[in-house]
Amino acid sequence: MAKSMKISVNNGVAAGTDTVNFILRKAKGIFPFYISAWLITFIATVSIKGIGFCDSFTTFLRSFYNITMTEMFGNYDMGHRVQATWYISAMLIAMFVIFPIRKRFTNGFDKIIAPLVFFTFIGMAYQSGSGVSAFTVGYKSNLFMYNGVIRGLAEISLGCISYNISNKIKTYDYTFIGATALSLVEWFGFGLVFYYASVKTATDIDLVLLPILALSITIAFSGKSISDKLFTAKIFSVLGTFSLQIYLTHEFVKNLIIPYIRDTFNLELSISVNVFKYICVYVLLTLVASFMCYFLGKMLIYFTNKLLPKIKSKIIKS
């Protein structure tokens, strides 16, 4: 978001129009795959659970806020939802709030407002007793929205801080020793986060790992570490794009498809029984679901680009 605003901060477009245009661009990149994942999981859920047509249609109508990615205002459990995607809605809402403020007060937001928002969130997360993970879909009646939006605001603010620091790092030329030192800090941060992610469940250590991860990402985006060429390789762009489809389908596979296969075929498919077997099946099924989501999303984009101009010409004279 911050990188996009480098162009839009002083482009003469009104803050409201600029904000809406940015959010629409952001949503447009996500929505075809999001709606594809929604359709795949909806059809599978209806089929596996044997839900009748009338109930399915009612559920479809009740899913309006989930389909439009606005469920984090308070409608998360209404209708059918794509599991684990609450953050997409929280992110869009947070950007809707932050974008016009940062557009108008860029320096003040990056150096004053963003740090205050982030560290206030860290304090709130610690006091919750469960760290960052406590801020997902807990409804805050005094704010009229889920607490995950607070997390979205804090993490988008942290992204703005990181972008600002990254630009500062870019202004210097480093010796081999300096670039190596940046790389060591960068990879130490990534390694530390991966280590704790594999050995710990969510705890208050996440409140320390979050700024450490932000520092590693800041260095990576500066392009000044010796590993810069690694991250600019095309494979990372491909994997980065495909990670959206994995994100949209992995919980659905874990919570619905694997239990269905296990119960239907009476298989010993449990992580507590055989970790390796479970992970292999989980990864394989997630990749299958992800490819389905990817190709359906691409088809939707193709037909939308073909049909919308024709529909527009039929209903708008000039």
Side-chain angles (χ1 to χ4, degrees):
M1 185 194 72
K3 186 177 181 180
S4 300
M5 292 178 69
K6 181 174 66 174
I7 299 171
S8 65
V9 167
N10 296 309
N11 63 0
V13 180
T17 302
D18 214 8
T19 302
V20 170
N21 289 340
F22 172 78
I23 297 297
L24 288 177
R25 287 197 305 272
K26 193 73 177 176
K28 184 180 178 181
I30 298 171
F31 186 73
F33 304 105
Y34 181 91
I35 193 63
S36 297
W38 190 94
L39 287 170
I40 291 168
T41 58
F42 178 72
I43 293 170
T45 302
V46 168
S47 302
I48 289 173
K49 295 186 177 180
I51 303 173
F53 175 79
C54 291
D55 288 338
S56 299
F57 185 70
T58 302
T59 301
F60 173 77
L61 292 178
R62 295 179 71 246
S63 304
F64 173 80
Y65 299 101
N66 285 284
I67 292 173
T68 56
M69 303 184 291
T70 56
E71 71 268 23
M72 286 301 286
F73 282 112
N75 307 88
Y76 182 73
D77 293 318
M78 189 174 176
H80 174 79
R81 66 179 184 272
V82 183
Q83 296 177 17
T85 58
W86 62 269
Y87 193 77
I88 291 178
S89 179
M91 174 189 70
L92 293 174
I93 293 170
M95 286 179 171
F96 222 114
V97 174
I98 291 174
F99 191 98
I101 298 173
R102 189 179 183 272
K103 177 180 169 66
R104 181 67 179 84
F105 306 104
T106 307
N107 189 57
F109 182 86
D110 288 350
K111 295 182 179 178
I112 301 173
I113 299 175
L116 287 174
V117 170
F118 175 70
F119 285 109
T120 299
F121 164 74
I122 290 295
M124 292 173 66
Y126 177 72
Q127 292 299 324
S128 72
S130 302
V132 176
S133 64
F135 286 75
T136 51
V137 289
Y139 190 70
K140 309 296 287 185
S141 56
N142 55 331
L143 296 176
F144 305 105
M145 61 180 63
Y146 293 108
N147 60 7
V149 176
I150 301 173
R151 177 171 165 181
L153 289 167
E155 293 180 351
I156 298 296
S157 295
L158 179 59
C160 293
I161 298 170
S162 293
Y163 180 74
N164 196 33
I165 296 173
S166 181
N167 282 341
K168 294 292 183 184
I169 296 174
K170 284 181 181 179
T171 61
Y172 296 94
D173 289 324
Y174 298 90
T175 62
F176 178 76
I177 294 175
T180 302
L182 284 174
S183 295
L184 289 174
V185 172
E186 173 189 355
W187 284 98
F188 175 77
F190 286 139
L192 198 64
V193 170
F194 276 115
Y195 168 75
Y196 276 101
S198 64
V199 300
K200 292 275 189 183
T201 54
T203 64
D204 59 6
I205 193 66
D206 294 345
L207 303 178
V208 179
L209 295 177
L210 186 57
I212 289 175
L213 180 59
L215 177 60
S216 293
I217 291 171
T218 299
I219 295 172
F221 272 73
S222 72
K224 291 295 185 177
S225 68
I226 59 176
S227 57
D228 176 52
K229 289 184 179 179
L230 172 65
F231 284 125
T232 54
K234 190 174 182 179
I235 184 64
F236 279 92
S237 177
V238 174
L239 292 174
T241 301
F242 194 63
S243 67
L244 174 62
Q245 286 77 48
I246 295 174
Y247 173 63
L248 292 169
T249 58
H250 75 285
E251 286 285 336
F252 154 72
V253 170
K254 182 177 72 173
N255 296 330
L256 184 68
I257 301 300
I258 289 181
Y260 173 73
I261 292 175
R262 182 187 61 217
D263 298 339
T264 302
F265 299 99
N266 196 26
L267 299 175
E268 288 187 354
L269 197 55
S270 171
I271 195 169
S272 59
V273 175
N274 190 324
V275 175
F276 180 75
K277 181 180 178 181
Y278 178 85
I279 290 176
C280 287
V281 173
Y282 186 16
V283 170
L284 177 62
L285 292 175
T286 300
L287 288 175
V288 171
S290 299
F291 276 111
M292 289 174 61
C293 178
Y294 176 81
F295 286 116
L296 182 56
K298 284 293 186 181
M299 287 174 61
L300 287 174
I301 292 171
Y302 175 79
F303 285 112
T304 300
N305 290 338
K306 287 285 185 179
L307 292 176
L308 279 184
K310 294 180 180 179
I311 295 172
K312 186 178 179 181
S313 66
K314 295 292 183 181
I315 61 176
I316 299 176
K317 189 174 181 180
S318 62

